[in-house]
Amino acid sequence: MTDVRPDPMLALKAAAVQRGVSFTEEFLRKVVELETQATNQNLERPMVQATLRNLIETAAKAET
Amino acid sequence: MIISKLTLHNFGIFYGQQSLDFGPGLYIVRGDNGRGKTTLLNAVRWALYGHYEDRQGREVPPEVILNRDAYREGERQFSVELVLSDGEDRCLVRRSQDIVDSTSTHSNLYMEKNGQALTSGERQRYVNQLLSEEISPFFLFDGEQLQRYERLLTEKDGSLIKHSIEQILGLPVLDNALEDLRNVRDELGKRLAKQARQTLQLEQLGGRAEQAQADLEIKDAELADLEAQTDSQVAIVAEQDKILQRYESSIDQLKSLETVEERIRDYELQRTMLRHQLGDNLRDAWKDILSVAVAPKVAELRSRIEKESQALAAQALREQVEKTLGSGTCIICGTELDAEHREHVTEQLALLAPDLPSGNDTEQQNAFVNLSVLAGIANTGSARRAIDLDTKMGQLEADEVTQRQHANKLREDIQNLPEAEVRWAQTERDAAQREIGRISAAVDVAKQERAVIEQKLTNAREEIRRAPANEQQKYLSRAIDIAEDLMGVFDQAKVTFRDELRESVESEATRVFRQLTNEPNYDQLDINDNYGLEIIANDGSIVIGRSAGEEQVVALSLIAGLNRNARRKGPVMMDTPFARLDEEHRAHVLGYLSRMADQVFLLVHGAEVRDEDLRPVASTIEEQLFLQRDDTDRTSIVVKNG
């Protein structure tokens, strides 16, 4: 069966452009994949948030 | 996701242990009425949600679910085991129930995912994630309960079904991301405030930021509490709705009974008024009847009185004449009578004498008395009015009898309605609705207060960022910026994604609807915010008053639309789906079934789908299963390939 589902990545990329925020696609994809995995596997939220915080802090450190 | 294995143990009509393996594809399960088609559907429902309801929505007690033969043989346990395959994941669901005695049962649910047992919290979450109970009627479809689907799709407050559908479609990924980002942002904010307090000049700002952060957390806890209160009230509404829906037709009949009883009371009142009027008229009606007989007598009396009067007058005249003749002088004018006058008067007297009867005062008096009595007996119209009133009362009485018969029939129909329970459910539901309104107002206030605190926090953070800062503070500030930017992006994307999903469901449902319907005047389906579907005709108007068959086609189209857009593809199990479809629709649906989902079970009886109906779609059928009666009147499942 062909997958006809809308892609959340496309919606995120469009929103980033509209808001004038520049995130790399790789960064956005990592966040979405983390959240998708967390939702599908019912991962504990504190663990997911720690991973997300690391992602964000790494990106911030790289910039400053 | 597909059902890989289904094992029934003493469940309903299925005696002992019966096990079936499945793969993807279309399965046709055929059996006569009472052979266990609906039991198979209910077995899957019961395993997942622990509920087994009959078609009236009543919970079936465990002692009824347990196979009767097994019970007679001393068995007291029944169970259903499902193996669900979802890509690489394999999930085992085993629900069993022990009947300890007539008043006590023990239920047990065991679940494991990829060989790992799940905790009780994980089990509930995982079932919701696989196929939440709210959305399950669209996947575990009972064609005999079509009105339920209509209600699900058209209910005014469709928030429950909307939430469940969006879960299936995958919107929670973005919702969860937003929640996680908010937490990360707050955590980074706390660290930044702590850092700032270490620098003397930033101490005050850090203090403000920390205070605002603490206030924000209190407010968030308040909001979470209000949301929990809302959830609990929504659950009450849903629970009471279930009761009200179960007795919906009886409640309608109860309302009809109240109307009929009101009408009967009205008839009784009208009849009482008419009875009074009838009494009044009957008091004078005898006059109308007697007046017919009395009229000639009155005329006769009048005539007699007139004659008597004339006789009396003549008698008086004769007496006067006789006196005049006797005295020789006129008694009126006193004139002396000469011979000529005397002769003339004598002639006149002779003329009077033979014709006139002698007058009688007594008779005349009696005649007057009789006339005055009889003249009062005149026609007043009372008898006519009494007859009209009586006719009217007869009509009312006949109408009242009809209404009383109707009321008795309604009373018989609703004799099993637990009126007190229904009234209590209605009261509870109304109270919960009012409470939801109250909480919603409190949420609005709390959100406004939260926005003020958040603004304070943002201002404090901004000032900290502008103040001279060390490297640690700089990168924390940047991390907060990134988290906030991400929140903005996810928030906006959520709106877009939701719209895209809704459009995609609408488009897929429309595509399927066009294949299934045989009505050339129908153009498309239109989806609303709650995923309810309207049929749009070629002229752009909404089709109202859909037939049961159309309702079924719309529900099937939505199932197809959801399946194609769902984050996880569910198996579709349809019990008696063709009962309301004509032959052409049935052929269309049969042709489409194998494309509806990765795994489809069609549960039908012989008259619903015949061998010749299946011939054109034979290549799409994975297996046919027959629910057959064996020598001991037990149902056994026989598999026949393709």
Side-chain angles (χ1 to χ4, degrees):
Chain A
M1 213 184 288
T2 327
D3 195 359
V4 295
R5 273 173 55 80
D7 183 357
M9 263 307 286
L10 291 177
L12 286 165
K13 274 160 47 180
V17 171
Q18 268 187 346
R19 299 179 70 85
V21 183
S22 56
F23 289 124
T24 62
E25 184 169 341
E26 189 196 355
F27 178 68
L28 269 182
R29 193 172 293 283
K30 273 183 184 168
V31 176
V32 172
E33 279 172 1
L34 169 69
E35 291 294 342
T36 306
Q37 191 189 10
T39 305
N40 288 348
Q41 297 175 11
N42 276 319
L43 300 180
E44 294 293 328
R45 295 331 292 187
M47 193 182 84
V48 180
Q49 285 159 15
T51 313
L52 186 59
R53 194 171 59 241
N54 280 339
L55 263 174
I56 290 172
E57 282 191 55
T58 308
K61 271 180 189 159
E63 285 183 31
T64 51
Chain B
M1 179 187 76
I2 61 164
I3 298 172
S4 303
K5 193 179 184 83
L6 169 65
T7 305
L8 307 171
H9 179 70
N10 290 332
F11 191 87
I13 199 164
F14 297 98
Y15 170 80
Q17 183 155 308
Q18 304 206 37
S19 201
L20 289 161
D21 292 301
F22 304 107
L26 172 61
Y27 291 83
I28 311 282
V29 183
R30 300 170 78 179
D32 292 338
N33 290 337
R35 279 300 104 200
K37 298 186 298 296
T38 308
T39 308
L40 281 179
L41 180 80
N42 281 327
V44 175
R45 272 197 197 134
W46 184 74
L48 290 172
Y49 313 117
H51 298 302
Y52 188 129
E53 289 178 353
D54 63 15
R55 281 187 161 142
Q56 281 68 48
R58 292 175 298 223
E59 196 76 29
V60 178
E63 59 272 21
V64 176
I65 304 176
L66 176 64
N67 182 273
R68 274 178 295 179
D69 288 347
Y71 183 82
R72 274 196 286 271
E73 289 169 11
E75 285 283 340
R76 292 295 179 267
Q77 190 193 60
F78 60 91
S79 65
V80 176
E81 190 174 295
L82 283 175
V83 177
L84 306 169
S85 298
D86 187 21
E88 296 295 308
D89 292 333
R90 186 179 164 282
C91 177
L92 172 74
V93 181
R94 187 190 305 127
R95 190 181 290 275
S96 61
Q97 182 117 24
D98 291 286
I99 300 173
V100 181
D101 56 46
S102 61
T103 55
S104 169
T105 60
H106 175 69
S107 172
N108 183 43
L109 173 66
Y110 173 80
M111 277 178 72
E112 62 177 47
K113 187 180 169 189
N114 299 328
Q116 297 282 316
L118 299 180
T119 64
S120 103
E122 286 171 335
R123 289 199 291 262
Q124 188 57 46
R125 271 206 305 275
Y126 196 56
V127 168
N128 277 341
Q129 195 187 317
L130 288 171
L131 195 62
S132 75
E133 192 173 2
E134 285 84 14
I135 195 81
S136 67
F138 289 100
F139 293 86
L140 307 174
F141 182 95
D142 188 346
E144 291 291 325
Q145 293 187 306
L146 202 63
Q147 71 282 4
R148 277 193 176 184
Y149 297 89
E150 197 171 355
R151 219 165 18 230
L152 279 175
L153 293 174
T154 55
E155 62 173 2
K156 282 183 191 143
D157 177 19
S159 52
L160 273 177
I161 191 82
K162 178 181 173 181
H163 176 75
S164 301
I165 287 180
E166 291 191 338
Q167 270 209 321
I168 290 285
L169 295 177
L171 211 63
V173 171
L174 301 188
D175 273 332
N176 292 341
L178 265 169
E179 188 57 32
D180 290 338
L181 284 165
R182 193 171 290 119
N183 272 294
V184 168
R185 190 265 322 260
D186 291 346
E187 175 63 29
L188 291 166
K190 277 185 201 167
R191 278 166 56 193
L192 179 62
K194 209 175 248 176
Q195 276 284 322
R197 291 197 76 162
Q198 288 168 8
T199 314
L200 197 57
Q201 61 267 44
L202 290 177
E203 187 177 345
Q204 199 187 353
L205 278 174
R208 269 172 50 199
E210 276 183 349
Q211 184 56 53
Q213 185 69 54
D215 291 347
L216 201 62
E217 281 169 11
I218 291 168
K219 202 44 80 182
D220 279 343
E222 192 183 316
L223 273 164
D225 181 46
L226 287 169
E227 273 174 26
Q229 287 180 39
T230 306
D231 288 348
S232 118
Q233 296 301 323
V234 166
I236 291 174
V237 170
E239 190 61 30
Q240 302 312 326
D241 272 350
K242 227 172 166 185
I243 296 172
L244 293 172
Q245 280 164 13
R246 189 183 310 157
Y247 298 112
E248 196 176 31
S249 61
S250 297
I251 292 168
D252 287 346
Q253 284 173 318
L254 182 65
K255 283 180 190 156
S256 298
L257 179 62
E258 282 167 2
T259 310
V260 170
E261 283 175 338
E262 177 71 35
R263 210 171 288 152
I264 290 171
R265 279 194 291 279
D266 193 40
Y267 282 142
E268 284 171 347
L269 191 68
Q270 281 187 52
R271 285 207 301 130
T272 307
M273 284 164 60
L274 289 177
R275 202 176 296 121
H276 286 305
Q277 289 176 19
L278 182 63
D280 290 345
N281 280 283
L282 281 176
R283 262 195 293 281
D284 288 333
W286 61 274
K287 292 181 183 175
D288 294 7
I289 299 157
L290 271 184
S291 69
V292 179
V294 160
K297 185 75 181 165
V298 168
E300 185 198 319
L301 280 171
R302 284 204 172 111
S303 162
R304 198 195 307 165
I305 287 167
E306 198 182 333
K307 278 182 185 164
E308 286 286 341
S309 298
Q310 284 173 357
L312 283 171
Q315 194 175 342
L317 183 62
R318 191 165 55 209
E319 282 169 8
Q320 284 173 352
V321 172
E322 281 170 352
K323 274 183 187 168
T324 301
L325 283 174
S327 66
T329 307
C330 174
I331 61 160
I332 297 167
C333 63
T335 311
E336 288 280 330
L337 295 179
D338 55 19
E340 192 182 347
H341 277 111
R342 184 178 285 274
E343 191 179 347
H344 176 69
V345 171
T346 305
E347 281 172 10
Q348 289 298 313
L349 182 63
L351 281 174
L352 279 171
D355 295 341
L356 290 174
S358 62
N360 186 326
D361 271 349
T362 311
E363 271 189 32
Q364 195 179 25
Q365 260 181 350
N366 288 341
F368 268 121
V369 169
N370 288 340
L371 181 62
S372 72
V373 171
L374 293 179
I377 306 173
N379 191 333
T380 57
S382 297
R384 181 72 259 158
R385 281 197 295 278
I387 291 166
D388 289 347
L389 287 167
D390 192 52
T391 310
K392 211 168 176 182
M393 276 176 67
Q395 282 168 356
L396 276 175
E397 203 167 351
D399 289 347
E400 194 180 315
V401 167
T402 310
Q403 292 300 324
R404 282 190 189 281
Q405 285 168 345
H406 189 192
N408 287 339
K409 172 81 178 58
L410 286 168
R411 277 191 205 103
E412 273 174 30
D413 289 348
I414 60 176
Q415 61 183 342
N416 294 326
L417 173 72
E419 215 175 314
E421 186 189 354
V422 167
R423 289 194 197 284
W424 184 80
Q426 189 64 55
T427 311
E428 281 288 292
R429 188 193 189 284
D430 292 348
Q433 282 286 25
R434 282 196 297 276
E435 192 58 11
I436 289 170
R438 186 194 67 74
I439 299 169
S440 168
V443 167
D444 288 345
V445 172
K447 278 184 177 166
Q448 283 169 12
E449 290 168 355
R450 189 191 186 285
V452 171
I453 298 169
E454 195 166 28
Q455 189 56 50
K456 279 185 189 168
L457 183 60
T458 308
N459 293 345
R461 281 179 185 156
E462 193 54 37
E463 284 183 57
I464 292 170
R465 278 181 230 175
R466 281 202 303 269
N470 60 30
E471 286 305 307
Q472 180 82 352
Q473 287 161 5
K474 277 184 192 163
Y475 107 76
L476 280 174
S477 291
R478 180 60 198 139
I480 291 171
D481 282 344
I482 291 174
E484 285 186 340
D485 284 346
L486 275 173
M487 282 168 67
V489 167
F490 271 78
D491 205 24
Q492 191 168 332
K494 194 174 86 171
V495 177
T496 318
F497 187 50
R498 174 181 278 136
D499 289 345
E500 284 175 356
L501 280 173
R502 200 178 287 127
E503 277 173 30
S504 183
V505 171
E506 179 186 88
S507 148
E508 182 61 17
T510 294
R511 195 181 67 74
V512 175
F513 180 73
R514 284 183 182 143
Q515 288 181 39
L516 300 187
T517 186
N518 55 7
E519 173 54 61
N521 291 324
Y522 291 167
D523 180 37
Q524 64 168 92
L525 294 177
D526 192 23
I527 202 162
N528 65 26
D529 281 352
N530 291 332
Y531 298 86
L533 288 167
E534 304 279 11
I535 302 174
I536 307 296
N538 287 336
D539 63 3
S541 63
I542 294 172
V543 174
I544 49 173
R546 304 194 293 222
S547 70
E550 284 168 345
E551 209 59 65
Q552 192 148 1
V553 169
V554 170
L556 291 170
S557 304
L558 179 61
I559 293 173
L562 289 177
N563 249 293
R564 288 296 289 268
N565 284 279
R567 186 163 46 90
R568 285 164 188 272
K569 316 289 183 194
V572 172
M573 201 172 231
M574 293 184 188
D575 182 21
T576 329
F578 297 135
R580 292 157 200 261
L581 296 184
D582 56 38
E583 206 166 326
E584 198 176 346
H585 273 118
R586 197 167 59 204
H588 288 175
V589 175
L590 271 173
Y592 182 74
L593 276 181
S594 64
R595 285 171 284 151
M596 181 169 268
D598 292 335
Q599 187 184 44
V600 178
F601 295 90
L602 181 63
L603 311 167
V604 285
H605 57 74
E608 206 181 350
V609 172
R610 298 155 304 179
D611 285 339
E612 56 264 39
D613 294 324
L614 292 176
R615 249 171 243 130
V617 294
S619 62
T620 67
I621 299 172
E622 190 65 28
E623 260 177 4
Q624 282 200 63
L625 285 77
F626 292 86
L627 303 181
Q628 290 181 342
R629 188 196 304 258
D630 65 16
D631 297 340
T632 53
D633 196 31
R634 291 168 182 160
T635 290
S636 55
I637 307 172
V638 177
V639 179
K640 181 181 149 191
N641 285 331

